[in-house]
Amino acid sequence: MSEVLAELPAGAALSKKPDNPDLATTKHRRPLPNPCWEGNVQSSGPRYLSIGYWITGLPAGSTAEYFERIPAIWQNKGWATETNDVSDVAKAKIPDGFGLQLQDAGKGDGSLSLTGFSPCLPESTIDAMEDDPFTIPHP
């Protein structure tokens, strides 16, 4: 996430609170554990973590520009990308097993969210994790 943020204009940041007051502030401060299996049968085991932020500080009306620019940043880094012409979601797979998802909030005002995903981790390591920062400033 920090590598992407470094490629954005000065003043851009990742925040739990969006620039648009009509969008919700993200309440989750810790990474959310998600099961690494299909269905609801297993109740314990490895989990992948997800953490989401709003990209703040982008110019108003720049949603389309940055929705194209950010996947291009991923491609320049050699990360596998997936976009869909009909979707408001773009994804990147990083060689170390992590991933990113960019989503357009559909407000036309530059409201984009960035979610990071980990590879599967042993469930026992998840409880020891600390809260993520509320805001990650531009480096």
Side-chain angles (χ1 to χ4, degrees), residues 17-137:
K17 182 178 181 181
D19 287 336
N20 183 333
D22 294 333
L23 295 170
T25 297
T26 306
K27 303 284 186 216
H28 303 289
R29 290 292 310 275
R30 292 188 64 198
L32 295 174
N34 304 284
C36 288
W37 59 85
E38 298 284 331
N40 295 321
V41 176
Q42 189 172 355
S43 62
S44 64
R47 311 275 176 159
Y48 71 90
L49 301 174
S50 64
I51 190 71
Y53 285 95
W54 292 103
I55 302 173
T56 60
L58 296 178
S62 65
T63 304
E65 175 187 349
Y66 285 96
F67 192 79
E68 290 180 15
R69 185 182 291 186
I70 292 171
I73 292 169
W74 298 341
Q75 289 174 341
N76 289 340
K77 294 183 175 299
W79 301 346
T81 60
E82 178 185 322
T83 55
N84 185 329
D85 292 337
V86 239
S87 174
D88 57 356
V89 175
K91 297 178 182 181
K93 290 183 181 177
I94 304 168
D96 62 4
F98 287 83
L100 295 170
Q101 177 177 293
L102 177 69
Q103 186 162 5
D104 178 355
K107 301 293 182 183
D109 62 357
S111 295
L112 298 171
S113 64
L114 186 65
T115 303
F117 300 93
S118 76
C120 290
L121 304 167
E123 189 173 26
S124 60
T125 63
I126 294 172
D127 290 337
M129 297 196 162
E130 296 180 15
D131 287 351
D132 287 313
F134 189 80
T135 300
I136 302 172

